[in-house]
Amino acid sequence: MRRGAITRESVLKALAEHDELGRDAFLANYGFGEARSYVLVHEGQEYDSKAVAGVAHKWDQGRALTPSEFSGGKDHAAAWLKRAGFQVKAIKNPDWARDEIILACHLVMENSWKGLDAQDSRVVELSALLQLLPIHAEAERNEKFRNSNGVARKTFDIATRHPEYQGKPTNGGALDVAVLRAFLARPEEMTEVARLIRQGIATGELQSLGATEDEEFGDGDYSAPEGRLLMRRHRARERNKGLRKKKITSVLQSGSRLACEACGFDFEAVYGDRGAGYIECHHVLPLHVAGEGRTKLSDLALICANCHRMIHRRAPWPTPGELRASIEQKHAADRRAAEALARPRRAADEQMPNP
């Protein structure tokens, strides 16, 4: 059985059955509970998306899916229904992204590490700004998405996690604490990050940048110290074909080969003509450190895809030189371990009598 292989016609038949039986009987008949994440919206009526998607399989594939065979989230039911041309709406709002928390934390810092009320003009302004951030899809937002009440609650989540706060903290998350610690450790740097995010939204530049590959594939192991939006701008700079070409030309004109500055991998040496002239370009400094001035060739490093991934995997990012040092350290440790394992065997071989 192919999960998710449903048509618009089969979904409409499931909706008709739902209307005929009534919601409670429909859910009970197929063993589904009420939707917790998404609802399908059709002709002004809301339906439990998971149940509808599961029952739609009956018309296309002979039997309905059971609740345990799939999820009602964006990777299964919601995605299938969207693919069939239906509107799907989130029941609850998405978790706060690092970019959003950075802006809220900056506001709390400016307020002497105290939370703010929903009626505060600064909260109202931040609420409007957060609704402009191109992080969460419209289908993932409900009518209360980042409203003033929600923003005010987040400021208290942050403020009550401050080390000097004496009372009981509110319901914050681990990311709130991580961003708070970053502001306490590097206030000027994080203030610049918040400024760049605000500026990028005001100019429209960040809104014009599409999601990077790691976001599209849900890679939670791919992080930026400055958040998702500035990471998009960082990657856009790295993928600037003109800059990459100039960097490669400068390396070749200096008599050097196109090898990874971290691990030494040479695409042409391994892949022949297919790999000739190919290597990825990495902007060594994050945007909030490098600034918004013109990118110099010295700001760029040529590295292989694996090392590029490892640099961006976890903040803070190592430079190619730092990554190279860690690679060499790992190789040295492996050699020492291999020598230690071989040493007892050699000693034992020497003690063996000759036949």
Side-chain angles (χ1 to χ4, degrees):
M1 187 174 193
R2 294 177 55 206
R3 292 187 308 167
I6 55 177
T7 62
R8 182 174 182 82
E9 291 70 24
S10 66
V11 174
L12 290 174
K13 288 179 180 179
L15 295 179
E17 184 178 355
H18 175 285
D19 293 341
E20 181 180 350
L21 295 176
R23 182 190 189 193
D24 293 341
F26 181 79
L27 294 177
N29 191 41
Y30 292 100
F32 286 93
E34 295 181 3
R36 292 181 293 180
S37 300
Y38 295 91
V39 290
L40 183 155
V41 181
H42 181 64
E43 295 183 349
Q45 186 173 341
E46 295 183 355
Y47 297 84
D48 301 277
S49 58
K50 183 176 181 180
V52 170
V55 174
H57 283 71
K58 178 177 69 171
W59 303 102
D60 279 320
Q61 303 200 46
R63 72 168 178 87
L65 288 179
T66 63
S68 62
E69 290 182 288
F70 69 114
S71 78
K74 60 182 180 181
D75 294 330
H76 286 163
W80 303 340
L81 293 169
K82 288 180 185 178
R83 193 166 60 221
F86 290 91
Q87 178 188 354
V88 179
K89 184 177 73 173
I91 295 175
K92 62 179 182 179
N93 283 311
D95 293 337
W96 283 62
R98 185 181 182 90
D99 312 64
E100 298 172 301
I101 298 174
I102 286 172
L103 296 178
C105 195
H106 181 248
L107 180 56
V108 175
M109 183 182 74
E110 288 191 325
N111 197 47
S112 302
W113 295 112
K114 297 177 182 177
L116 296 89
D117 295 329
Q119 293 74 30
D120 191 297
S121 60
R122 293 167 293 177
V123 169
V124 174
E125 184 271 337
L126 180 55
S127 171
L129 178 64
L130 293 175
Q131 291 172 29
L132 293 176
L133 297 188
I135 295 177
H136 307 291
E138 287 297 326
E140 296 177 353
R141 311 178 182 198
N142 65 27
E143 63 278 1
K144 295 182 180 180
F145 177 78
R146 304 299 184 255
N147 65 10
S148 295
N149 288 331
V151 174
R153 281 196 299 272
K154 180 55 66 176
T155 67
F156 280 94
D157 289 341
I158 296 168
T160 58
R161 297 288 179 140
H162 192 280
E164 296 180 1
Y165 182 75
Q166 300 296 317
K168 183 179 179 181
T170 58
N171 295 325
L175 192 53
D176 297 335
V177 176
V179 173
L180 170 62
R181 287 174 177 170
F183 268 93
L184 293 175
R186 307 183 303 279
E188 292 183 359
E189 177 183 312
M190 297 306 294
T191 294
E192 177 64 5
V193 170
R195 186 190 73 80
L196 288 171
I197 294 173
R198 283 180 168 273
Q199 183 183 65
I201 296 302
T203 61
E205 181 182 358
L206 292 180
Q207 289 166 303
S208 66
L209 296 175
T212 57
E213 182 178 297
D214 53 290
E215 292 178 61
E216 293 171 356
F217 289 93
D219 189 349
D221 228 13
Y222 204 63
S223 64
E226 51 199 356
R228 193 178 305 177
L229 297 179
L230 295 188
M231 177 65 170
R232 291 180 188 175
R233 187 191 286 178
H234 179 100
R235 294 298 301 274
R237 293 168 77 171
E238 290 183 334
R239 290 171 177 171
N240 183 303
K241 293 181 180 179
L243 281 176
R244 177 177 171 274
K245 184 177 180 180
K246 288 179 181 178
K247 179 67 176 180
I248 288 175
T249 299
S250 70
V251 170
L252 293 176
Q253 287 178 344
S254 71
S256 301
R257 63 192 180 97
L258 288 184
C260 176
E261 295 182 28
C263 73
F265 185 86
D266 185 324
F267 283 89
E268 184 174 11
V270 175
Y271 298 108
D273 290 343
R274 179 176 288 274
Y278 178 79
I279 197 162
E280 293 193 4
C281 194
H282 168 63
H283 200 290
V284 177
L285 297 176
L287 184 62
H288 69 271
V289 177
E292 298 179 278
R294 187 175 180 179
T295 301
K296 303 184 293 292
L297 293 184
S298 58
D299 294 332
L300 305 174
L302 298 180
I303 56 178
C304 71
N306 281 348
C307 288
H308 203 179
R309 197 75 179 176
M310 289 298 99
I311 286 173
H312 283 308
R313 185 184 182 199
R314 190 180 302 120
W317 298 336
T319 65
E322 290 169 341
L323 186 62
R324 181 173 63 251
S326 69
I327 292 172
E328 293 171 350
Q329 185 178 12
K330 174 68 167 59
H331 288 172
D334 289 344
R335 285 194 297 270
R336 288 193 298 269
E339 291 169 359
L341 287 173
R343 208 171 293 128
R345 289 200 296 272
R346 293 197 192 103
D349 291 342
E350 292 172 358
Q351 294 174 7
M352 290 286 290
N354 291 326

Coordinates of all heavy atoms in Angstrom, one line a residue, residues 189-268:
E189 N 27.5 41.6 20.1 CA 27.4 40.8 18.9 C 26.0 40.4 18.6 O 25.5 40.5 17.5 CB 28.2 39.5 19.1 CG 28.1 38.5 18.0 CD 28.9 37.3 18.3 OE1 30.1 37.4 18.7 OE2 28.3 36.2 18.1
M190 N 25.2 40.0 19.7 CA 23.8 39.6 19.5 C 22.9 40.8 19.2 O 21.9 40.7 18.5 CB 23.3 38.9 20.8 CG 24.0 37.6 21.0 SD 24.0 36.5 19.6 CE 22.3 36.1 19.5
T191 N 23.3 42.0 19.7 CA 22.6 43.2 19.4 C 22.7 43.5 17.9 O 21.7 43.9 17.2 CB 23.1 44.4 20.2 OG1 22.8 44.2 21.6 CG2 22.4 45.7 19.8
E192 N 23.9 43.3 17.4 CA 24.1 43.5 15.9 C 23.3 42.5 15.1 O 22.8 42.8 14.0 CB 25.6 43.4 15.6 CG 26.0 43.5 14.1 CD 25.7 44.8 13.5 OE1 25.3 45.8 14.2 OE2 25.8 45.0 12.3
V193 N 23.2 41.3 15.6 CA 22.4 40.3 14.9 C 20.9 40.7 14.8 O 20.3 40.7 13.8 CB 22.5 38.9 15.6 CG1 21.4 37.9 15.1 CG2 23.8 38.3 15.5
A194 N 20.4 41.2 16.0 CA 19.0 41.7 16.0 C 18.8 42.9 15.0 O 17.8 42.9 14.3 CB 18.6 42.1 17.4
R195 N 19.8 43.7 15.0 CA 19.7 44.9 14.1 C 19.7 44.5 12.6 O 18.9 45.0 11.8 CB 20.9 45.8 14.3 CG 20.8 47.1 13.6 CD 22.1 47.9 13.6 NE 23.2 47.3 12.8 CZ 23.3 47.4 11.5 NH1 22.4 48.1 10.8 NH2 24.3 46.8 10.8
L196 N 20.6 43.5 12.3 CA 20.6 43.0 10.9 C 19.3 42.3 10.5 O 18.9 42.5 9.3 CB 21.8 42.1 10.7 CG 23.2 42.8 10.7 CD1 24.3 41.7 10.8 CD2 23.4 43.7 9.5
I197 N 18.7 41.6 11.4 CA 17.4 40.9 11.1 C 16.4 42.0 10.8 O 15.6 42.0 9.8 CB 17.0 40.0 12.2 CG1 18.0 38.8 12.3 CG2 15.6 39.5 12.0 CD1 17.7 37.9 13.5
R198 N 16.3 43.0 11.7 CA 15.3 44.1 11.6 C 15.5 44.8 10.3 O 14.6 45.1 9.5 CB 15.4 45.0 12.8 CG 14.7 44.5 14.0 CD 14.9 45.5 15.1 NE 14.0 45.2 16.3 CZ 12.7 45.6 16.4 NH1 12.2 46.3 15.4 NH2 12.0 45.2 17.4
Q199 N 16.8 45.1 10.0 CA 17.1 45.9 8.8 C 16.8 45.1 7.5 O 16.2 45.6 6.6 CB 18.6 46.2 8.8 CG 19.0 47.1 7.6 CD 20.5 47.4 7.6 OE1 21.3 46.5 7.5 NE2 20.8 48.6 7.8
G200 N 17.1 43.8 7.6 CA 16.8 42.9 6.4 C 15.3 42.8 6.1 O 14.9 42.7 4.9
I201 N 14.5 42.8 7.2 CA 13.0 42.8 7.0 C 12.5 44.2 6.5 O 11.7 44.3 5.6 CB 12.3 42.4 8.2 CG1 12.7 41.0 8.6 CG2 10.8 42.5 8.1 CD1 12.3 39.9 7.6
A202 N 13.1 45.2 7.0 CA 12.6 46.6 6.6 C 12.9 46.9 5.2 O 12.1 47.5 4.4 CB 13.3 47.6 7.5
T203 N 14.1 46.4 4.7 CA 14.4 46.6 3.3 C 13.8 45.6 2.3 O 13.8 45.8 1.1 CB 16.0 46.5 3.1 OG1 16.4 45.2 3.5 CG2 16.7 47.6 4.0
G204 N 13.3 44.5 2.9 CA 12.7 43.4 2.1 C 13.7 42.4 1.6 O 13.3 41.4 0.9
E205 N 15.0 42.6 1.9 CA 16.0 41.7 1.4 C 15.9 40.3 1.9 O 15.9 39.3 1.2 CB 17.4 42.2 1.8 CG 18.5 41.4 1.2 CD 19.9 41.8 1.6 OE1 20.0 42.9 2.3 OE2 20.9 41.2 1.3
L206 N 15.6 40.2 3.2 CA 15.5 38.8 3.8 C 14.3 38.1 3.3 O 14.2 36.9 3.3 CB 15.5 38.9 5.3 CG 16.9 39.3 6.0 CD1 16.8 39.4 7.5 CD2 18.0 38.4 5.5
Q207 N 13.2 38.9 3.1 CA 12.0 38.3 2.6 C 12.1 37.7 1.2 O 11.3 36.8 0.8 CB 10.8 39.3 2.7 CG 10.4 39.6 4.1 CD 9.6 40.8 4.2 OE1 10.0 41.9 3.8 NE2 8.4 40.7 4.8
S208 N 13.1 38.2 0.4 CA 13.2 37.8 -0.9 C 14.1 36.6 -1.0 O 14.3 36.0 -2.1 CB 13.8 38.9 -1.8 OG 15.2 39.2 -1.4
L209 N 14.8 36.2 0.1 CA 15.7 35.0 0.0 C 14.9 33.7 0.4 O 14.2 33.7 1.4 CB 16.8 35.2 1.0 CG 17.7 36.4 0.8 CD1 18.7 36.5 1.9 CD2 18.5 36.2 -0.6
G210 N 14.9 32.8 -0.5 CA 14.2 31.5 -0.3 C 14.9 30.7 0.8 O 16.1 30.9 1.2
A211 N 14.2 29.6 1.2 CA 14.8 28.7 2.2 C 16.0 28.0 1.7 O 16.1 27.7 0.5 CB 13.7 27.7 2.6
T212 N 17.0 27.8 2.5 CA 18.2 27.1 2.1 C 17.9 25.6 2.1 O 16.9 25.1 2.6 CB 19.4 27.3 3.1 OG1 19.0 27.0 4.4 CG2 19.7 28.8 3.0
E213 N 18.8 24.8 1.5 CA 18.6 23.4 1.3 C 18.4 22.7 2.7 O 17.5 21.8 2.8 CB 19.8 22.8 0.6 CG 19.7 21.3 0.3 CD 20.9 20.8 -0.4 OE1 21.1 21.2 -1.6 OE2 21.6 19.9 0.1
D214 N 19.1 23.1 3.7 CA 19.0 22.4 5.0 C 17.6 22.6 5.6 O 17.1 21.8 6.3 CB 20.0 22.9 6.0 CG 20.1 24.4 6.1 OD1 20.5 25.1 5.1 OD2 19.7 25.0 7.1
E215 N 17.0 23.8 5.4 CA 15.6 24.1 5.9 C 14.6 23.3 5.1 O 13.7 22.7 5.7 CB 15.3 25.6 5.7 CG 16.1 26.5 6.6 CD 15.7 28.0 6.3 OE1 14.5 28.3 6.5 OE2 16.6 28.7 5.8
E216 N 14.8 23.2 3.8 CA 13.8 22.4 3.0 C 13.8 20.9 3.3 O 12.7 20.3 3.3 CB 14.2 22.5 1.5 CG 14.1 23.9 0.9 CD 14.6 24.1 -0.5 OE1 15.2 23.1 -1.0 OE2 14.5 25.2 -1.1
F217 N 14.9 20.4 3.8 CA 15.0 19.0 4.1 C 14.9 18.8 5.6 O 15.2 17.7 6.1 CB 16.2 18.3 3.5 CG 16.2 18.2 2.0 CD1 16.7 19.2 1.2 CD2 15.6 17.1 1.5 CE1 16.6 19.1 -0.2 CE2 15.5 17.0 0.1 CZ 16.0 18.0 -0.7
G218 N 14.6 19.8 6.4 CA 14.4 19.7 7.8 C 15.7 19.3 8.5 O 15.6 18.5 9.5
D219 N 16.8 19.7 8.1 CA 18.1 19.3 8.8 C 18.3 20.1 10.0 O 18.8 21.2 10.0 CB 19.2 19.5 7.8 CG 20.5 18.9 8.3 OD1 20.5 18.5 9.5 OD2 21.5 18.8 7.6
G220 N 17.9 19.6 11.2 CA 18.1 20.3 12.5 C 19.5 20.3 12.9 O 19.8 20.9 13.9
D221 N 20.4 19.6 12.2 CA 21.8 19.5 12.6 C 22.6 20.6 11.8 O 23.8 20.4 11.7 CB 22.3 18.1 12.2 CG 23.1 17.5 13.4 OD1 23.0 18.1 14.5 OD2 23.8 16.5 13.2
Y222 N 22.0 21.6 11.3 CA 22.6 22.6 10.5 C 22.3 23.9 11.0 O 21.1 24.4 10.9 CB 22.1 22.4 9.0 CG 23.0 22.9 7.9 CD1 24.2 22.3 7.7 CD2 22.6 24.0 7.1 CE1 25.0 22.8 6.7 CE2 23.4 24.4 6.1 CZ 24.6 23.8 5.9 OH 25.4 24.2 4.9
S223 N 23.2 24.6 11.7 CA 22.8 25.7 12.5 C 23.7 27.0 12.2 O 24.8 26.9 11.8 CB 22.9 25.4 14.0 OG 24.2 25.1 14.4
A224 N 23.1 28.1 12.6 CA 23.8 29.4 12.4 C 23.7 30.1 13.8 O 22.6 30.1 14.4 CB 23.2 30.2 11.3
P225 N 24.8 30.7 14.2 CA 24.7 31.5 15.5 C 23.8 32.7 15.4 O 23.3 33.1 16.4 CB 26.2 31.9 15.7 CG 26.8 31.9 14.3 CD 26.1 30.8 13.6
E226 N 23.5 33.1 14.2 CA 22.7 34.3 14.0 C 21.3 34.1 13.6 O 20.5 35.0 13.3 CB 23.4 35.3 13.0 CG 23.7 34.6 11.8 CD 24.8 35.3 11.0 OE1 25.2 36.4 11.4 OE2 25.2 34.8 9.9
G227 N 20.9 32.8 13.5 CA 19.5 32.5 13.1 C 19.4 32.1 11.6 O 20.3 32.2 10.9
R228 N 18.2 31.8 11.3 CA 17.9 31.2 10.0 C 17.9 32.2 8.9 O 18.4 32.0 7.8 CB 16.5 30.5 10.0 CG 16.2 29.7 8.9 CD 14.8 29.0 9.0 NE 14.7 28.3 10.3 CZ 13.5 27.7 10.7 NH1 12.5 27.8 10.0 NH2 13.5 27.1 11.8
L229 N 17.4 33.4 9.1 CA 17.3 34.4 8.0 C 18.6 34.9 7.6 O 18.9 35.1 6.4 CB 16.4 35.6 8.5 CG 14.9 35.1 8.8 CD1 14.1 36.4 9.2 CD2 14.3 34.5 7.5
L230 N 19.5 35.3 8.6 CA 20.8 35.7 8.2 C 21.7 34.6 7.6 O 22.6 34.9 6.8 CB 21.5 36.4 9.4 CG 20.9 37.6 10.0 CD1 21.7 38.3 11.0 CD2 20.6 38.7 8.9
M231 N 21.3 33.4 8.0 CA 22.0 32.2 7.4 C 21.7 32.2 5.9 O 22.5 31.9 5.1 CB 21.6 30.9 8.1 CG 22.1 29.7 7.5 SD 23.9 29.6 7.7 CE 24.2 27.9 7.2
R232 N 20.4 32.5 5.5 CA 20.1 32.5 4.1 C 20.9 33.5 3.4 O 21.3 33.3 2.3 CB 18.6 32.8 4.0 CG 17.6 31.7 4.5 CD 16.2 32.2 4.3 NE 15.3 31.2 4.9 CZ 14.0 31.4 5.0 NH1 13.4 32.5 4.5 NH2 13.2 30.5 5.6
R233 N 21.0 34.7 4.0 CA 21.8 35.8 3.3 C 23.3 35.3 3.2 O 24.0 35.5 2.2 CB 21.7 37.1 4.1 CG 22.4 38.2 3.3 CD 22.5 39.5 4.2 NE 21.2 40.1 4.4 CZ 21.1 41.2 5.1 NH1 22.1 41.7 5.7 NH2 19.9 41.8 5.2
H234 N 23.8 34.7 4.3 CA 25.2 34.2 4.3 C 25.3 33.2 3.1 O 26.3 33.2 2.4 CB 25.4 33.5 5.6 CG 26.8 32.9 5.7 ND1 27.8 33.5 6.4 CD2 27.3 31.7 5.3 CE1 28.9 32.8 6.3 NE2 28.6 31.7 5.7
R235 N 24.4 32.2 3.0 CA 24.5 31.3 1.9 C 24.4 31.9 0.5 O 25.0 31.5 -0.4 CB 23.4 30.2 2.1 CG 23.6 29.3 3.3 CD 24.9 28.5 3.3 NE 25.0 27.7 2.2 CZ 24.5 26.4 2.2 NH1 23.9 25.9 3.2 NH2 24.7 25.7 1.1
A236 N 23.6 32.9 0.4 CA 23.4 33.6 -0.9 C 24.8 34.3 -1.3 O 25.1 34.3 -2.4 CB 22.3 34.7 -0.8
R237 N 25.5 34.8 -0.3 CA 26.8 35.4 -0.6 C 27.8 34.3 -1.0 O 28.6 34.5 -1.9 CB 27.3 36.1 0.6 CG 26.5 37.3 1.0 CD 26.9 37.8 2.4 NE 28.1 38.6 2.4 CZ 28.5 39.3 3.5 NH1 27.8 39.3 4.6 NH2 29.7 39.9 3.4
E238 N 27.7 33.1 -0.4 CA 28.6 32.0 -0.7 C 28.3 31.5 -2.1 O 29.2 31.0 -2.8 CB 28.4 30.9 0.3 CG 29.0 31.2 1.7 CD 28.9 30.0 2.6 OE1 28.0 29.2 2.4 OE2 29.7 29.9 3.5
R239 N 27.1 31.6 -2.5 CA 26.7 31.0 -3.8 C 26.8 32.1 -5.0 O 26.3 31.8 -6.1 CB 25.3 30.5 -3.8 CG 25.2 29.2 -2.9 CD 23.8 28.8 -2.6 NE 23.8 27.5 -1.9 CZ 22.7 27.0 -1.3 NH1 21.5 27.6 -1.5 NH2 22.8 25.9 -0.6
N240 N 27.3 33.2 -4.6 CA 27.5 34.3 -5.7 C 28.5 33.8 -6.7 O 29.7 33.6 -6.4 CB 28.0 35.6 -5.0 CG 28.1 36.7 -6.0 OD1 28.8 36.6 -7.0 ND2 27.5 37.8 -5.7
K241 N 28.0 33.5 -7.9 CA 28.8 32.8 -8.9 C 30.0 33.7 -9.3 O 31.1 33.2 -9.6 CB 28.0 32.5 -10.2 CG 26.9 31.5 -9.9 CD 26.1 31.2 -11.2 CE 25.1 30.1 -11.0 NZ 24.3 29.8 -12.2
G242 N 29.8 35.0 -9.3 CA 30.9 35.9 -9.7 C 32.0 35.9 -8.7 O 33.2 35.8 -9.1
L243 N 31.7 35.9 -7.4 CA 32.7 35.9 -6.4 C 33.4 34.5 -6.4 O 34.6 34.5 -6.2 CB 32.0 36.1 -5.0 CG 31.7 37.6 -4.6 CD1 31.0 37.6 -3.3 CD2 33.0 38.4 -4.5
R244 N 32.6 33.5 -6.5 CA 33.3 32.1 -6.5 C 34.3 32.0 -7.7 O 35.4 31.5 -7.5 CB 32.2 31.1 -6.6 CG 32.7 29.7 -6.7 CD 31.6 28.6 -6.7 NE 32.0 27.3 -7.0 CZ 32.2 26.8 -8.3 NH1 32.0 27.6 -9.3 NH2 32.7 25.6 -8.4
K245 N 33.9 32.5 -8.8 CA 34.7 32.4 -10.0 C 36.0 33.2 -9.8 O 37.1 32.8 -10.1 CB 34.0 32.9 -11.2 CG 34.8 32.8 -12.5 CD 34.0 33.2 -13.7 CE 34.8 33.1 -15.0 NZ 34.0 33.5 -16.2
K246 N 35.9 34.4 -9.2 CA 37.1 35.2 -8.9 C 38.0 34.6 -7.9 O 39.2 34.7 -8.1 CB 36.6 36.6 -8.4 CG 36.0 37.5 -9.5 CD 35.5 38.8 -8.9 CE 34.9 39.7 -9.9 NZ 34.4 41.0 -9.3
K247 N 37.4 33.9 -6.9 CA 38.2 33.3 -5.9 C 39.0 32.1 -6.5 O 40.2 31.9 -6.3 CB 37.3 32.8 -4.8 CG 38.1 32.1 -3.6 CD 39.0 33.0 -2.9 CE 39.7 32.3 -1.7 NZ 40.6 33.2 -1.0
I248 N 38.3 31.3 -7.3 CA 39.0 30.2 -8.0 C 40.1 30.7 -8.9 O 41.2 30.1 -8.9 CB 37.9 29.3 -8.7 CG1 37.0 28.6 -7.8 CG2 38.6 28.4 -9.7 CD1 35.9 27.8 -8.4
T249 N 39.8 31.7 -9.7 CA 40.8 32.3 -10.6 C 42.0 32.7 -9.8 O 43.2 32.5 -10.3 CB 40.2 33.4 -11.4 OG1 39.1 32.9 -12.2 CG2 41.2 34.0 -12.3
S250 N 41.8 33.4 -8.7 CA 42.9 33.9 -7.9 C 43.8 32.8 -7.4 O 45.0 32.9 -7.3 CB 42.5 34.8 -6.8 OG 41.8 34.0 -5.8
V251 N 43.2 31.7 -7.0 CA 43.9 30.5 -6.5 C 44.7 29.9 -7.6 O 45.9 29.6 -7.4 CB 43.0 29.5 -5.8 CG1 43.7 28.2 -5.5 CG2 42.4 30.1 -4.6
L252 N 44.1 29.7 -8.8 CA 44.8 29.1 -9.9 C 46.0 30.0 -10.4 O 47.1 29.5 -10.7 CB 43.8 28.8 -11.0 CG 42.8 27.7 -10.7 CD1 41.8 27.6 -11.9 CD2 43.4 26.4 -10.4
Q253 N 45.8 31.3 -10.4 CA 46.8 32.2 -10.9 C 48.0 32.2 -9.9 O 49.1 32.6 -10.3 CB 46.2 33.6 -11.1 CG 45.3 33.7 -12.3 CD 44.7 35.1 -12.4 OE1 44.7 35.9 -11.5 NE2 44.2 35.4 -13.6
S254 N 47.7 31.9 -8.7 CA 48.8 31.9 -7.7 C 49.7 30.6 -7.8 O 50.7 30.4 -7.1 CB 48.3 32.0 -6.3 OG 47.6 30.8 -5.9
G255 N 49.2 29.7 -8.7 CA 49.9 28.4 -8.9 C 49.5 27.3 -8.0 O 50.1 26.2 -8.0
S256 N 48.4 27.5 -7.2 CA 47.9 26.5 -6.3 C 46.9 25.7 -7.0 O 46.3 26.1 -8.0 CB 47.3 27.2 -5.0 OG 48.3 28.0 -4.3
R257 N 46.6 24.5 -6.4 CA 45.6 23.6 -7.0 C 44.3 23.9 -6.2 O 44.2 24.4 -5.1 CB 46.0 22.2 -6.9 CG 46.1 21.6 -5.5 CD 46.8 20.3 -5.5 NE 47.0 19.8 -4.1 CZ 46.2 18.9 -3.5 NH1 45.1 18.5 -4.1 NH2 46.4 18.5 -2.3
L258 N 43.1 23.5 -6.8 CA 41.8 23.6 -6.2 C 41.6 22.5 -5.2 O 41.0 21.5 -5.6 CB 40.7 23.7 -7.3 CG 40.7 24.9 -8.2 CD1 39.5 24.8 -9.1 CD2 40.6 26.2 -7.3
A259 N 42.1 22.7 -4.0 CA 42.0 21.6 -3.0 C 41.3 22.3 -1.8 O 41.4 23.5 -1.5 CB 43.3 21.1 -2.6
C260 N 40.5 21.4 -1.1 CA 39.9 21.9 0.1 C 40.9 22.5 1.1 O 41.9 21.8 1.5 CB 39.1 20.8 0.7 SG 38.3 21.2 2.3
E261 N 40.6 23.7 1.6 CA 41.5 24.3 2.6 C 41.5 23.6 3.9 O 42.4 23.9 4.8 CB 41.2 25.8 2.7 CG 41.4 26.6 1.4 CD 41.1 28.1 1.5 OE1 41.2 28.6 2.7 OE2 40.8 28.7 0.5
A262 N 40.5 22.8 4.2 CA 40.4 22.1 5.5 C 41.0 20.7 5.4 O 41.9 20.3 6.3 CB 39.0 22.1 5.9
C263 N 40.6 19.9 4.4 CA 41.0 18.5 4.4 C 41.9 18.2 3.2 O 42.5 17.1 3.2 CB 39.8 17.6 4.4 SG 38.9 17.5 2.9
G264 N 42.1 19.1 2.3 CA 42.9 18.8 1.1 C 42.3 18.1 0.0 O 43.0 17.7 -1.0
F265 N 41.0 17.8 0.0 CA 40.4 17.0 -1.0 C 40.4 17.8 -2.3 O 40.1 19.0 -2.4 CB 38.9 16.7 -0.6 CG 38.2 15.8 -1.6 CD1 38.3 14.4 -1.5 CD2 37.4 16.3 -2.6 CE1 37.6 13.6 -2.4 CE2 36.8 15.5 -3.5 CZ 36.9 14.1 -3.4
D266 N 40.8 17.1 -3.4 CA 40.9 17.6 -4.7 C 39.9 16.9 -5.6 O 40.0 15.7 -5.9 CB 42.3 17.4 -5.3 CG 42.5 18.1 -6.6 OD1 41.6 18.1 -7.4 OD2 43.6 18.6 -6.8
F267 N 38.8 17.6 -6.1 CA 37.8 17.0 -6.9 C 38.3 16.5 -8.2 O 37.9 15.4 -8.6 CB 36.7 18.0 -7.2 CG 35.8 18.3 -6.0 CD1 36.0 19.2 -5.1 CD2 34.6 17.5 -5.8 CE1 35.2 19.5 -4.0 CE2 33.8 17.7 -4.7 CZ 34.1 18.7 -3.8
E268 N 39.2 17.2 -8.9 CA 39.7 16.7 -10.2 C 40.6 15.5 -10.0 O 40.5 14.6 -10.8 CB 40.5 17.8 -10.8 CG 41.0 17.4 -12.2 CD 41.7 18.6 -13.0 OE1 42.0 19.6 -12.3 OE2 41.9 18.4 -14.2

